[in-house]
Structures are given as structure tokens and as C-alpha cells.
Amino acid sequence: MSFEPQDQTRGDSTPFFGDTEPAPLSCNEAASLCMKAARGAGMSWGMAEEAGFAAAWLVSHGIDGPSHMRAHLERADGRDWADLCPSATPGDWQNAHGQPACPIILGATMCDYADLPEGPNSGATVALGPVSAPILLVPFLVELAHSKSLAFTLSWPEGAIRIDNDETWLQAALQSLGVPQLVLTLSAKAAQPHKPSAASMPNAQTTAATIAALNAFAMRTTVPATEASRTGAGSTLSDND
Amino acid sequence: MSLNTSILSTETLEYMRPATEVMRLARMGCGHPTRLSFLRVLLRRLASSDWKIDRPVWNVDANGVGHGVYRVKSAERTYSLVAFAHDLPPEMRSDRVIATAWDATFTLFDGEPTAEDIARLADNVPYQEAGRISTKELTLARANRSVRLFEHVVNALAQGCQPDPAEIAAVGYLMRTTAVYGSGKFGASDRADIAQRPELAAPFQVEMLTVWLIRAFTVDIVEHIATARGGKTAVKLDRDIRRSLGVGNSTGLGMAPFIVRHPVLLNNWMMAREEALARVRAQPTARSQAVSDLSAALDAAITNARVWHSEHPIQVCKLDELRHDLALLSTTLNTWDWKGEHPWDALWSWGVQTLTFEGQEALLSLMLEPHGALVDDLADHMGADEAASFRIDGAMPVAELRRILETHYAWALAIDFTSPENVARFWYVSEEKLEPRLGERATEDGATLEQPLCIARLMSELHAAVQSFDGTRSVAALMLAHPEHRFAVRRVQIAKRHPYAEVQDNLIAADMLPIDLLRCKLAFFGASQFDPRSDRWVRINLFAGAPFPDDIKAGGAV
């Protein structure tokens, strides 16, 4: 990379944090940084938008989504779509190659299938197989729970959590799901329609190391400068008038 | 609010201009501010409700260095602009987003800042991108002096004289902002956390409030320096001259992608404006008050067109057309038959047949002006809940997706992307400065890192994919098989319900002008006197002619 770490002339809101200080990002910053990083790590633009959505949702719910995103992208970097995507068949969504699924692709695809027979409908139990950074799946499941009035039980060999309308389960989810990988099964039941809660919590903070790592992925989407690109960027006239 | 067709009524539907007419760059690049522009929405609220505006802090030395606080207070809320005035050497003055120092820097604080807040902001705001603000702040901004006019006005006032009106008219502002950041940038409060406040529901209200208060600061700092220099000889700026001053703004390519990246928002802006025009045209008769208000608005537009300067060849030509069209309109109105049937619609039809795009879009603005009671409520529909249209409808059959694509993107599918002039450019982000730029595909590297702003081509590629995909299968299945089209599919599904969501032109064509995108957006802000400095860089004026904090209650209709 050709820029100085403290170069304030870069037209972006990439924050400058030292190694040890807390790094609070707005949801907009978290979404923007994670979207670019996901694109840099190989996701399509449309899927990278889903990554931005998931990271910002977690930040707004007090969970350091960007750090989980970073951990996942470092594992998924360079892997083919076929090794990351689920197979959407009724009851079995495991990756066809037996690889750990990308939680963003899995979550977005489950939302795509919300109103289809293969999807997570009431009464269904779906084997998800191994899932990378499973906490990143939560924002998608919460959206599905709200839009379809469902309650989900997400289980793995050592435990289970219930994802339903009140979000008191979130901290428990962080404990259980904030791990590199779990082999998951999802079951869905009908639930009361969601009532939005007025309570808001402070945004989660992330770390300088996470921001640096995500930035390294994001920088892969940028183009090195040339003299032509520099001269074409601004006014052709003086600003001292 | 996302499905904005709810603002439409059957009586006005036949008067709506179709998107194929409205959403063309050549026309968008002739946009004029209207009474639905965001700065007008702000001024109407400030003038009509119980907002009290004052300047509780002014800590500025004789060299014009220090800080001030401008406070806007209602029963429920207070907003405070914290302004830092600096002493900037001329060699450091640049309007580019990549500058490192400015004549003045600002933040809009959510509430009343304590001394600790001010100290924290003083450590961060002057450094702009290299500093950090918090969820207590709503915007971050900076401005540079118009060296020529600033010095002229300070000198005149210090000597007890008023500045030369010709000099004032030639520039139009004392300072120009070079960036006004909101929406969570640099740690500021997220838009979602404030959008439910009634006074901030319309788009860009915190940004507009920031700029309006900056305008007051620009006059205060000039008068302060003049007094420091001239002592008892110095005078205040004449109130009529003051009112004519706006805040300049320099905007480059970086802002051009905004309206492409926010299709629902763009739709809602356009839809509100077009519905307003349709409501005016649908009136069976014309009120005499509205007719005389139109005449007054036209006089103001003619004056504005007279003082509007640009050296850019494209704008010089457009200005000639505008002045000619406004004169023609003035002559025509002298004998216009207001007793005929649907006289506003007849006037509009005359304009479409007679005027250039510049003149037509100016006429639109003029026709809305006398009709506040009829159209101002539409400002409440110009925000967008983008999250509500984010999810893809995976149950939609691919055949239906294809039908929407072929209906709403016929303009895109008609473009031949094997032709070099239709793929001549590519949008990318510069590694060095992280700003959006436009490259030449034939001669510059980096096209493999193209940003998804070439909407027409993305739609053309999606069309090829759906043609060879079983139409009875679901969009969800298409997304599993073709994840590379997820971005385009989301937009197609948005376009189904948002007819004005897309700029219906090829944004990578050889002859595409980025300033057209900029002008469209800036007109919705309320900018006037567009002055392109290149094909991708434009200067504007905001709030010229508008009231100041100390006269907004008595300032008459805005």
C-alpha cells in the first residue's frame, strides 16, 4: 500500500486509531468498511452489501461485528463460491462440498428462500452443517423472524439458543456463537408478530487491528494512482480566488 | 414511505412526466432549485416554528482566530454549530477533498456543548478527516474564504464603507464549504438514529442547517476582523448586501455516485417534484394571487440568471439559453390567457414546445413557487427507508424479473456494449486518496476493479443471464447460480416500485458528463448559480437571498 497511516488527505472516513485505544465506529462506517472488505475478499458487490448489513446490525446491537467479519474473511479469502455457498434443499442446506458455509451467503440465501418451500418455514428443521463465524448469521435470522413471525432454535452438538422476538437472548448468543465455527441445525416455529423495541443500546466498539485488517481487504478494490488520474480529479482552475 | 406511489392521486396521474423523459442526464443536468429543495424545507421550518436562534459564544481574537457557537433551540431540542476560525496561509488553500487545512472548520453538535465538549472538538474538528467526532455530533464541515471577496469586504467595512456591489455580485459568497459530512462519517451520529425527529425527517436537514449557520458565521467573522482592523471607523455590512450573500460550495466527482447508489432516495426526490408539477398542471383555473406570485418569481429568476457567472463553455451556452428562455417567458406571460381551461397545464405545454431543457426546468421551478399550499406537504415524502427495500424477493419467478427488466430497463438493454464509445469509461476508487474517479478504459489500468456504477451494462449482463435461465424457477435459485448478479437484481426489484429510481443513461459512455449528476443532486439541495470548473467539478451558491438567523422570523415567506 502506498499511503501513510496518518495521511489525512485520503477522501474516506477510515478512522485513525492506535493499537490500544477503543475504536468506536458508527453503523454507517461499519457497514461501509465491511462491504468494501467483503468485496476485496472476493464477494460479489450484492453479497458484499449483505456483509455490510450484517456487520452494522451487530454493531447497533452491541456486538463487534467488524471483528467477526474480519475473522471470517481471513478464513474465506480465496475460496470459491462453490465452497462457501449452501445447497438449498428442503431440510438440508449443508455445503455440497462439506466445507464450512459463509454466514453471509447462508443468511442472505435463507432470506431469499423465505417464502419458498426449501426455506426455513414454520415446522421445518434444516441441517446447516459447519458454519464459519456463526454470529454473523444472527442479523439475517432476526430479519426472517420478524418478517415471517417465526421463532428459531439454533442448535449445535453442545448447546442451543432460541432466537425470538425479544432480544434478551443476544448476549447469550454472543457467548455461544462468537466462535470460529459451529455445526448448526436450525428449526423454525410460528411465533407472535414482532413488536419493535424502543430501547437502543450503545454501538459496539471494535479494535484498531480489526480496522487495519478490514482496510487491507478493502484496499484490494482500489486502483493505484497515475498522473492521468491525479490531474483529472479536481478543478482545472485555481481555488485561490 | 418507500412505496412512494402513495403520494400520487388519480387526478394528477395524467399530468405526470414519465421517467423516460425526466431521468435523462441531459435534463437532470439542467435542474433548478425548487420550493421542495432541502434548504427551502429547512428555512420554512425555522421560520414557522418556535425555534430560537442565537450566538452564545464568540471567542475570536483580532486576527480572526478562535471559536464561536451558534445555537438553534426549540422546546424539545437544541442544535449548536461549533465554528473554529483559523489563520490559513494562501499556499495551503485548496477546495479538493484532499486538502489538509482550511480557513474555518465546523461541527453541528446535538444539544449544547459543555466546555469539555468544546475542548474535545477543538482537538479534532480542525483536523477534519484526521480527527474523530462522536455520536454527539451530527456533521463535520470546513470552509475556505473567497480570497478576493473576503478581503474586499473586510477592507471596505474597516474603512467605514460598504463593499462594491459589482464585487459582491461577481462572487456571491464570503466562504465556500469544501465538504459537509453527515450520516455517521468520522464517528458522527448515524442517520437512522436521528431520522425520526420531525425536523430532520426530510433529507440533508442537518447538513443544510450546518451550512445556513456557517453563512451567519461568514458575515460575523468578516465584521469582526473589520472592527479589529478599523476600530471605531468600521461599519457593519449593509443588510441588503448581506442577504444577497450565500455560502459557496465546491463539489467534485466524489459526490456524483451518490444518486446512483441511493435509487430509492433518488426516486422519492424525483417523485415528489414531479407530483408537485402535476398538481399545479391539474388545476382547472389559476388564482390571481398565484399569477402575480409567478411574475415575482420570474423577476427573481431573471435577476439570478443575470448575476450567474461561469467560464465553462457548456455552462456559458446553457446560460445563454436560460436568459433567452426567461425573457421569452416574460414576454409570453404579458399576454397569457389565464381564463382558459387548465391554464397552468397550457403554460407548461407551451414551455415544452418552446423552451430548451434549461428553460423548461426553470419553468417547473417557477410554476411550483406560487403553490406552497398545494405542494409543500410533498417534502414529507422525500426521505427514504432504504432498509425496507433491501431484501430480495426470492420467491419472484425469473420470468417476472425478466419482464420488469425488459420494461423498466429497456433504455439500458438498447445500448450496444460491444461498441467502444459505450464502454469508454470506468468508475473506480483511487488507492492513493480513496476518492471515486473516472478512468479511460482504453488507456488506463484498473478496469478490473470497476465500481458498480455502470448500471446499464450490469442490467445488460443480467438480461443475458436470465435469458438462459429457466423462467419458472425462483429468483432465489438464480441468486445461488449467479451471485454476481445480486447487486443488479436488487435494483430491478426496487425499480418495479420506484419508477424514478434510475438515471436512464449510460454512465460509462465516452460523452457522459459527471457535472450533470452533480447538478441534479445540488438542485435538490437548493443550490443556485452552478459554475462548472471542469466536466467533473462544480461550484455553487447556497442560501443566497435567504434570511439570516436574526431576520428569519420577519423575513417573509420562504
Side-chain angles (χ1 to χ4, degrees):
Chain A
M1 278 178 278
S2 64
F3 61 87
E4 296 294 312
Q6 292 288 325
D7 178 2
Q8 74 185 83
T9 70
R10 292 161 63 221
D12 190 51
S13 73
T14 309
F16 304 111
F17 292 110
D19 286 339
T20 52
E21 55 183 326
L25 293 188
S26 70
C27 290
N28 185 13
E29 287 176 309
S32 170
L33 178 59
C34 288
M35 182 192 75
K36 291 176 203 166
R39 173 65 180 166
M43 280 190 205
S44 73
W45 282 111
M47 196 57 75
E49 290 178 317
E50 307 279 355
F53 151 77
W57 190 97
L58 289 173
V59 166
S60 72
H61 288 78
I63 297 170
D64 179 5
S67 287
H68 293 290
M69 186 68 66
R70 168 204 177 183
H72 167 64
L73 293 179
E74 285 173 346
R75 288 191 294 272
D77 186 23
R79 285 168 58 197
D80 288 339
W81 170 257
D83 290 332
L84 294 165
C85 73
S87 59
T89 52
D92 186 0
W93 277 55
Q94 300 189 62
N95 176 267
H97 297 179
Q99 296 294 317
C102 164
I104 303 303
I105 298 172
L106 178 59
T109 305
M110 281 202 288
C111 290
D112 290 351
Y113 276 90
D115 297 315
L116 291 167
E118 301 91 332
N121 299 297
S122 175
T125 297
V126 183
L128 302 179
V131 178
S132 168
I135 190 78
L136 292 169
L137 196 55
V138 167
F140 300 96
L141 293 177
V142 171
E143 275 219 343
L144 270 173
H146 291 176
S147 68
K148 300 255 303 170
S149 296
L150 291 172
F152 291 113
T153 301
L154 201 53
S155 52
W156 56 96
E158 300 81 21
I161 58 154
R162 189 178 149 90
I163 295 173
D164 56 18
N165 281 335
D166 73 55
E167 283 162 3
T168 51
W169 49 269
L170 253 178
Q171 284 311 310
L174 178 60
Q175 291 291 319
S176 316
L177 301 179
V179 295
Q181 185 177 316
L182 283 175
V183 178
L184 293 173
T185 301
L186 182 76
S187 60
K189 276 192 190 144
Q192 294 296 312
H194 171 70
K195 291 191 200 79
S197 90
S200 68
M201 60 184 82
N203 285 354
Q205 297 188 341
T206 190
T207 67
T210 287
I211 291 172
L214 289 170
N215 257 326
F217 281 119
M219 290 306 290
R220 295 184 189 171
T221 67
T222 63
V223 177
T226 61
E227 275 315 305
S229 74
R230 287 190 189 110
T231 52
S235 171
T236 50
L237 303 167
S238 163
D239 293 328
N240 262 315
D241 60 350
Chain B
M1 216 147 55
S2 151
L3 179 52
N4 216 348
T5 43
S6 62
I7 66 174
L8 304 178
S9 67
T10 47
E11 295 83 57
T12 58
L13 209 55
E14 64 175 296
Y15 296 99
M16 290 288 281
R17 295 192 293 180
T20 48
E21 185 181 329
V22 174
M23 301 306 294
R24 300 303 303 271
L25 267 187
R27 187 181 287 277
M28 295 169 77
C30 292
H32 286 262
T34 72
R35 60 181 304 126
L36 293 176
S37 294
F38 309 137
L39 69 80
R40 296 285 298 277
V41 175
L42 173 80
L43 290 171
R44 278 200 293 276
R45 182 175 292 275
L46 289 172
S48 68
S49 40
D50 64 340
W51 295 98
K52 291 189 172 50
I53 308 157
D54 63 0
R55 194 190 72 187
V57 177
W58 186 255
N59 242 327
V60 180
D61 69 18
N63 296 318
V65 177
H67 80 276
V69 177
Y70 294 77
R71 179 168 60 183
V72 179
K73 193 178 169 86
S74 76
E76 288 84 36
R77 296 261 180 212
T78 300
Y79 299 98
S80 301
L81 181 83
V82 183
F84 296 96
H86 310 292
D87 188 11
L88 180 71
E91 66 273 15
M92 292 187 74
R93 189 171 291 110
S94 166
D95 286 359
R96 292 282 300 282
V97 74
I98 57 175
T100 57
W102 302 269
D103 287 315
T105 54
F106 310 90
T107 186
L108 188 68
F109 186 88
D110 193 6
E112 288 195 49
T114 63
E116 291 76 36
D117 287 320
I118 296 282
R120 171 176 60 84
L121 295 171
D123 284 340
N124 285 280
V125 171
Y127 303 98
Q128 295 283 296
E129 287 92 340
R132 194 71 186 157
I133 52 176
S134 75
T135 52
K136 287 182 182 176
E137 285 81 49
L138 303 173
T139 63
L140 181 69
R142 67 292 192 100
N144 281 337
R145 295 172 185 175
S146 160
V147 178
R148 166 175 151 194
L149 192 63
F150 196 96
E151 267 313 301
H152 171 74
V153 175
V154 167
N155 275 335
L157 296 181
Q159 291 165 27
C161 314
Q162 289 300 322
D164 177 1
E167 290 284 327
I168 295 279
V171 178
Y173 48 80
L174 294 165
M175 292 183 126
R176 58 178 170 266
T177 56
T178 65
V180 181
Y181 296 109
S183 300
K185 295 268 174 59
F186 310 107
S189 180
D190 276 302
R191 165 93 186 137
D193 294 338
I194 56 168
Q196 64 285 358
R197 300 182 194 175
E199 69 272 19
L200 305 183
F204 292 101
Q205 293 301 287
V206 288
E207 291 85 352
M208 291 297 113
L209 179 59
T210 299
V211 174
W212 185 62
L213 293 171
I214 287 174
R215 176 169 173 252
F217 166 83
T218 68
V219 173
D220 289 353
I221 193 79
V222 156
E223 291 181 341
H224 176 92
I225 296 171
T227 303
R229 215 181 274 178
K232 284 183 181 159
T233 316
V235 292
K236 299 278 185 201
L237 187 61
D238 172 81
R239 285 308 182 245
D240 289 337
I241 293 176
R242 185 181 76 154
R243 186 147 180 157
S244 75
L245 290 170
V247 176
N249 176 275
S250 256
T251 293
L253 202 54
M255 207 163 86
F258 181 89
I259 59 172
V260 185
R261 290 202 169 117
H262 298 274
V264 179
L265 197 59
L266 177 63
N267 174 79
N268 293 358
W269 299 0
M270 289 289 179
M271 181 86 89
R273 191 191 71 186
E274 294 304 312
E275 167 65 12
L277 174 63
R279 284 184 187 177
V280 171
R281 289 171 61 190
Q283 297 175 105
T285 58
R287 289 177 298 111
S288 60
Q289 182 63 48
V291 172
S292 63
D293 288 351
L294 173 72
S295 183
L298 177 59
D299 289 346
I302 289 170
T303 305
N304 181 62
R306 195 180 301 135
V307 297
W308 180 347
H309 295 282
S310 181
E311 292 168 28
H312 197 274
I314 293 173
Q315 191 59 39
V316 166
C317 177
K318 284 185 175 188
L319 273 172
D320 285 345
E321 291 175 351
L322 178 64
R323 290 173 186 138
H324 174 266
D325 283 352
L326 291 176
L328 190 60
L329 177 60
S330 181
T331 311
T332 303
L333 284 183
N334 285 335
T335 57
W336 191 253
D337 175 18
W338 289 106
K339 303 290 176 209
E341 210 173 300
H342 285 86
W344 292 102
D345 185 51
L347 179 62
W348 179 255
S349 299
W350 168 85
V352 168
Q353 285 155 21
T354 317
L355 306 176
T356 63
F357 282 175
E358 271 285 344
Q360 289 178 34
E361 298 305 302
L363 177 60
L364 183 161
S365 172
L366 292 169
M367 282 174 55
L368 300 199
E369 203 54 42
H371 292 106
L374 186 65
V375 305
D376 284 351
D377 66 295
L378 290 165
D380 297 337
H381 300 274
M382 295 174 89
D385 177 4
E386 295 182 317
S389 53
F390 183 69
R391 279 284 138 240
I392 283 175
D393 174 8
M396 177 186 280
V398 169
E400 166 71 357
L401 183 80
R402 181 175 172 178
R403 190 194 60 75
I404 303 168
L405 185 57
E406 290 173 353
T407 309
H408 291 268
Y409 291 89
W411 60 272
L413 303 184
I415 299 169
D416 173 12
F417 286 105
T418 61
S419 169
E421 72 270 19
N422 286 335
V423 291
R425 264 88 164 269
F426 66 99
W427 292 86
Y428 67 94
V429 172
S430 139
E431 178 193 282
E432 184 181 52
K433 300 296 179 190
L434 294 180
E435 60 179 10
R437 289 182 187 170
L438 197 54
E440 296 294 327
R441 197 179 303 271
T443 55
E444 289 180 54
D445 292 332
T448 54
L449 294 165
E450 186 164 8
Q451 292 281 309
L453 295 165
C454 44
I455 303 303
R457 195 170 64 162
L458 295 176
M459 293 306 165
S460 173
E461 290 166 358
L462 172 62
H463 191 241
V466 297
Q467 279 178 305
S468 56
F469 201 84
D470 179 354
T472 64
R473 296 184 71 196
S474 65
V475 163
L478 177 74
M479 291 295 79
L480 261 186
H482 288 289
E484 72 277 17
H485 292 307
R486 190 175 188 85
F487 183 86
V489 165
R490 202 189 312 278
R491 290 185 82 103
V492 174
Q493 292 192 335
I494 286 172
K496 180 190 174 191
R497 293 181 171 193
H498 300 88
Y500 299 94
E502 295 285 7
V503 179
Q504 300 195 1
D505 266 296
N506 178 10
L507 300 179
I508 53 170
D511 57 356
M512 190 274 301
L513 290 172
I515 44 175
D516 288 339
L517 293 165
L518 295 174
R519 177 156 168 189
C520 173
K521 184 187 182 199
L522 292 165
F524 273 99
F525 279 23
S528 56
Q529 300 178 12
F530 307 91
D531 176 14
R533 311 288 284 177
S534 77
D535 69 344
R536 53 195 74 181
W537 190 249
V538 65
R539 278 192 191 172
I540 53 160
N541 202 340
L542 291 163
F543 291 105
F548 273 76
D550 60 8
D551 59 12
I552 188 161
K553 299 295 178 192
V558 285

